Amino acid sequence: MIAPPWWFDLKQYAERLQRCSDEELLDIYFHIHPIRYQAHYLCVLRELRRRGVKPQIARRPFAGVRWDLPQWVGALGWLGRSQVASRLMFGLLTLLLSAVLTMLSLTPVGLATLLIRYLDPFTALALMMGAVWAWGLGVWLTYRAGARGGWTLVAVIGSSAAFWAFLWTRAFARIVDALHQPLGGGGGWGF
């Protein structure tokens, strides 16, 4: 199908857009290809701005899996409408996310502790620092996911629970045992 003559002249196209109603203009905005018809798209944007019309774009909560906990809770349908249920679900998701992220961050520390045959005090200290960094990483990533304000305390509790669980593992006991070893150990280098 060949386009009408007014389509090729951008001045005529802009005049035609001025005669459209707001609904028609929004329909054009949502159905025009912004890359293929870039000049026409810019004309539509100019007209929308001139009228002060702001298109309401539907939220896509799981598109691209963004780290946005409030958006995830709002996308759960009936939970988004009930304030008490949405806050409870948000708190549980915050707690769970921070605990899972901390456990995932502690996994390399635990594996390294169990796979290293001889654990000296310096390596044990580095692994202990890695465990503390894992706790902080869990809290920070949950904060970045949307647990702001008082919800950060919930993230700290979730991350601390995962760290507390790590403290009761065999890997942590091995780190503590290595920290209690004398520094000059077994070689000819001791004084």
Side-chain angles (χ1 to χ4, degrees):
M1 178 176 160
I2 298 175
W6 54 265
W7 176 263
F8 297 105
D9 185 13
L10 288 178
K11 186 175 180 183
Q12 287 180 3
Y13 184 74
E15 290 171 0
R16 195 158 176 100
L17 288 175
Q18 288 176 355
R19 291 192 297 264
C20 292
S21 68
D22 288 349
E23 290 81 22
E24 291 171 336
L25 193 61
L26 285 173
D27 189 48
I28 293 170
Y29 171 77
F30 283 116
H31 290 95
I32 194 168
H33 196 283
I35 296 172
R36 189 178 301 157
Y37 305 111
Q38 185 175 11
H40 295 82
Y41 179 72
L42 292 175
C43 286
V44 172
L45 281 180
R46 250 183 261 119
E47 183 62 25
L48 283 171
R49 285 191 192 117
R50 185 185 72 78
R51 292 184 189 186
V53 176
K54 206 170 193 180
Q56 294 294 327
I57 299 172
R59 292 174 28 184
R60 301 182 312 161
F62 297 105
V65 189
R66 286 188 41 214
W67 286 89
D68 192 19
L69 284 177
Q71 190 177 13
W72 288 5
V73 171
L76 294 176
W78 62 274
L79 280 175
R81 292 184 290 274
S82 172
Q83 188 175 12
V84 173
S86 65
R87 287 188 180 195
L88 182 65
M89 181 58 75
F90 183 75
L92 288 174
L93 277 175
T94 301
L95 195 69
L96 182 67
L97 183 66
S98 64
V100 166
L101 289 172
T102 303
M103 285 304 261
L104 287 175
S105 301
L106 285 170
T107 301
V109 174
L111 286 175
T113 304
L114 296 176
L115 293 177
I116 294 175
R117 182 172 293 186
Y118 173 71
L119 197 59
D120 62 4
F122 293 114
T123 307
L125 184 62
L127 289 172
M128 182 71 81
M129 289 173 27
V132 173
W133 275 96
W135 175 85
L137 186 66
V139 173
W140 181 71
L141 287 175
T142 308
Y143 175 81
R144 295 272 303 162
R148 306 254 183 344
W151 296 107
T152 306
L153 181 63
V154 177
V156 168
I157 291 170
S159 196
S160 297
F163 189 74
W164 186 259
F166 176 73
L167 294 180
W168 292 98
T169 62
R170 194 175 99 208
F172 183 74
R174 188 153 182 246
I175 291 173
V176 171
D177 288 342
L179 285 173
H180 290 301
Q181 290 178 6
L183 286 179
W189 297 97
F191 293 98

